[in-house]
């Protein structure tokens, strides 16, 4: 890591050999930068950065949709209120269908995760914005929170019988230990796949958008590149919603394991 | 860059790892296609199974994302 | 374009001298603390907003709406029942009125028939009385005529007898005329 140019290869902006020609910086959009002050200022845990800005905007969207939008409490809702009620009903029905009626007390928790990821994903689609959910630190914490919640709730609710999750009684006794090892591994891989799925999808989409945008620098293929950016952008709008949905529904599935480990 | 064997290996590895994403796409397509086939056979039962569909797609896709991640790590972090 | 060299010591090891990322920014652990701190702040903010304000409000609105809808449905049911009742009452009233009309017209017909019958009977009675009287008168006239004929015959007979120069006594003539008149 001593010499940045050597370690990052052709895609590094600092590489003098490629400064003149095509220059891709697909990863620069994920950089954490202080909002105030210079580029190179150090980033402490309390520094107000672009992470702060875009997360705050997500919070503001939640406030706008759920506090300002529903302030009329109308029996016949206007558009914003219908959207808020639609989102409420969507997640409520999801947790009721997937996890069960007794899981409704986790609804605010699941809904918080859903709304944060949804708005962070959608706000990240604004050009030159920053996407917090593409960062493994962010999604890792979200997934770890889910993992810890599931594990703690599982043991508090079921005690030691929660371990029955790993002892598959429907399988023959001989292969149960093997299955237990596999189940245990898959249980601990859950937070990894849970977080990397979200961060990876977002990173991949945004990096591809940037690469296509980089191709637009070449006049001959720039119309194609712009067309490609448009198409991928449409796909990314879909991915932004689906990844929020998938993260939420997997949270519900994991919670179901915690509440009902035996089926 | 010339003659740098390590870099060649890095980029080759990244390219090979990226193939995993494409292969995962086969898996996702398989899930979605089979769902569609089942849904056309029994359309009334399809509505309740969309959640299962998305969970299946998510699990199939996760492994593709892993290989994509390996490619990214090879490109940018090694 | 002149790019100002940045202080690499301060920026940490994830940014190169041109302000571009080294490696994947996602894996730069110098930024983890910042991201995690602000993520926790954002999540807590959203959680508090949802649990304190938004969710009670939305669920209250939804409950109120479903209450209103079921109330409206009940009211509609009620109105429907009322309308059915009103229709039934109307039909009953109509049937009653029809029966009443029939009864009244029947009564009127009966009354008229009774009057008519009475009038006919009266007329018959009067006609009978009249015809009886007339017959009596006719009989009287006839009797009177017969008596007159006998008188005339008696007088004529007496005169004829006298004219013949005979003396006839009165009772003989009467007997002869009476036997002749009666004989006829």
């Amino acid at each position: 890591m001593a010499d940045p140019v050597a370690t990052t290869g052709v895609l590094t902006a600092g590489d003098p050999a490629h400064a003149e020609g095509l220059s891709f910086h697909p990863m620069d959009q994920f950089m954490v930068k202080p909002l105030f002050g210079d580029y190179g200022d150090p980033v402490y845990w309390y520094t107000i950065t672009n992470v702060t800005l875009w997360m705050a905007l997500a919070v503001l969207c939640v406030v706008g949709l759920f506090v300002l939008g529903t302030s009329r409490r109308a029996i016949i809702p206007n558009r914003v209120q219908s959207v808020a009620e639609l989102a409420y009903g969507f997640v409520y029905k999801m947790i009721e269908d997937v996890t069960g009626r007794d899981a409704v007390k986790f609804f605010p928790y699941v809904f918080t995760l859903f709304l944060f990821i949804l708005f962070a994903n959608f706000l990240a689609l604004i050009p030159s914005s920053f996407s917090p959910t593409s960062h493994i630190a962010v999604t890792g914490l979200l997934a770890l929170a889910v993992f810890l919640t599931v594990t703690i709730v599982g043991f508090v609710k079921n005690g030691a019988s929660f371990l029955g999750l790993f002892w598959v009684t429907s399988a023959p006794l001989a292969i149960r230990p093997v299955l237990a090892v596999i189940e245990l591994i898959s249980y601990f891989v859950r937070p990894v796949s849970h977080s990397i799925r979200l961060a990876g999808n977002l990173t991949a989409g945004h990096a591809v958008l940037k690469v296509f945008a980089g191709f637009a620098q070449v006049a001959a293929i720039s119309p194609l590149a712009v067309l490609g950016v448009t198409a991928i952008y449409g796909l990314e709008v879909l991915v932004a919603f689906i990844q929020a949905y998938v993260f939420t529904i997997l949270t519900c599935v994991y919670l179901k394991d915690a509440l009902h480990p035996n089926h | 860059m010339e003659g740098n064997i390590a870099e060649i290996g890095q980029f080759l590895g990244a390219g090979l790892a990226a193939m995993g994403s494409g292969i995962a796409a086969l898996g996702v397509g398989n899930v979605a296609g089979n769902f569609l086939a089942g849904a056309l056979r029994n359309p009334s039962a399809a509505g309740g199974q969309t959640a299962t569909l998305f969970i299946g797609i998510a699990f199939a896709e996760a492994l593709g994302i892993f290989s994509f991640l390996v490619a990214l790590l090879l490109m940018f972090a090694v | 374009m002149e790019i100002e060299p940045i202080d690499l010591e301060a920026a940490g090891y994830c940014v190169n001298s041109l302000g571009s990322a080294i490696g994947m920014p996602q894996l730069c652990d110098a930024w983890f603390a910042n991201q995690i701190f602000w993520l926790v702040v954002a999540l807590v903010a959203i959680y508090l907003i949802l649990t304190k304000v938004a969710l009670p409000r939305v669920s209250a609105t939804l409950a109120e709406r479903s209450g209103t809808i079921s109330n409206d449905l009940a009211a509609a049911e009620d109105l429907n029942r009322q309308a059915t009742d009103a229709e039934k009452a109307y039909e009953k009233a109509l049937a009653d009125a029809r029966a009443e009309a029939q009864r009244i017209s029947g009564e009127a017909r009966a009354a008229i028939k009774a009057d008519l019958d009475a009038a006919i009977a009266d007329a018959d009675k009067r006609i009978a009385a009249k015809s009886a009287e007339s017959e009596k008168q006719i009989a009287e006239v006839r009797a009177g005529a017969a008596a007159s004929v006998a008188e005339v015959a008696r007088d004529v007979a007496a005169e004829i007898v006298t004219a013949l120069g005979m003396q006839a006594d009165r009772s003989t003539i009467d007997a002869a005329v009476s036997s002749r008149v009666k004989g006829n």
Side-chain angles (χ1 to χ4, degrees), chain B residues 72-73 76, chain C residues 23-24 27:
Chain B
L72 274 184
L73 288 174
F76 296 106
Chain C
M24 282 181 75
L27 300 177

Side-chain angles (χ1 to χ4, degrees), chain C residues 151-169:
Chain C
E151 189 93 356
V152 168
R154 252 190 322 268
D155 285 353
V156 167
E159 282 304 317
I160 289 168
V161 168
T162 314
L164 287 175
M166 289 188 282
Q167 199 59 42
D169 104 68

Side-chain angles (χ1 to χ4, degrees), chain A residues 112-123:
Chain A
T112 302
L113 293 179
F114 175 73
L115 287 178
F116 174 76
I117 295 169
L118 186 75
F119 282 119
N121 285 357
F122 275 134
L123 287 170

Side-chain angles (χ1 to χ4, degrees), chain A residues 1 4 7-8 12-14 25 27-28 30-32 39-49 51-52 55 59 62-63 66-67 70-71 73-75 77 81 85 88 107-109 111-112 115-116 134-138 141-142 203, chain C residues 4 6-8 10-27 30-47 49-51 53-62 64-65 68:
Chain A
M1 286 286 180
T7 52
T8 51
T12 308
H25 310 287
M27 289 297 158
D28 280 6
F30 303 117
M31 281 171 65
V32 176
Y39 240 38
D41 282 354
V43 175
Y44 303 110
W45 62 269
Y46 53 82
T47 311
I48 294 175
T49 57
V51 179
T52 321
M55 284 183 181
V59 175
V62 174
V63 171
F66 280 94
V67 177
T70 61
S71 59
R73 300 166 190 248
I75 295 297
Q81 195 185 333
E85 284 165 8
Y88 179 97
F107 171 64
Y109 177 71
F111 202 36
T112 302
L115 287 178
F116 174 76
S134 71
H135 278 261
I136 201 72
V138 172
L141 188 68
L142 294 173
T203 306
Chain C
E4 215 173 300
I6 58 173
D7 185 359
L8 280 181
Y13 46 84
C14 300
V15 184
N16 68 16
S17 56
L18 293 176
S20 208
I22 299 170
M24 282 181 75
Q26 280 92 336
L27 300 177
W31 294 334
F32 280 0
N34 184 267
Q35 291 171 326
I36 288 168
F37 171 67
W38 289 113
L39 173 65
V40 170
V41 170
L43 287 182
V44 168
I46 293 177
Y47 187 81
I49 288 163
L50 287 182
T51 49
V53 185
L55 296 185
R57 195 186 277 176
V58 173
S59 64
T61 310
L62 289 179
E64 195 183 341
R65 178 171 315 139
T68 309

Side-chain angles (χ1 to χ4, degrees), chain A residues 62-99:
Chain A
V62 174
V63 171
L65 186 57
F66 280 94
V67 177
L68 307 181
T70 61
S71 59
R72 278 173 61 236
R73 300 166 190 248
I75 295 297
I76 299 158
N78 58 10
R79 277 183 215 167
V80 182
Q81 195 185 333
S82 326
V83 170
E85 284 165 8
L86 209 66
Y88 179 97
F90 179 70
V91 179
Y92 197 89
K93 192 173 177 303
M94 193 197 299
I95 197 165
E96 215 176 45
D97 288 353
V98 175
T99 316

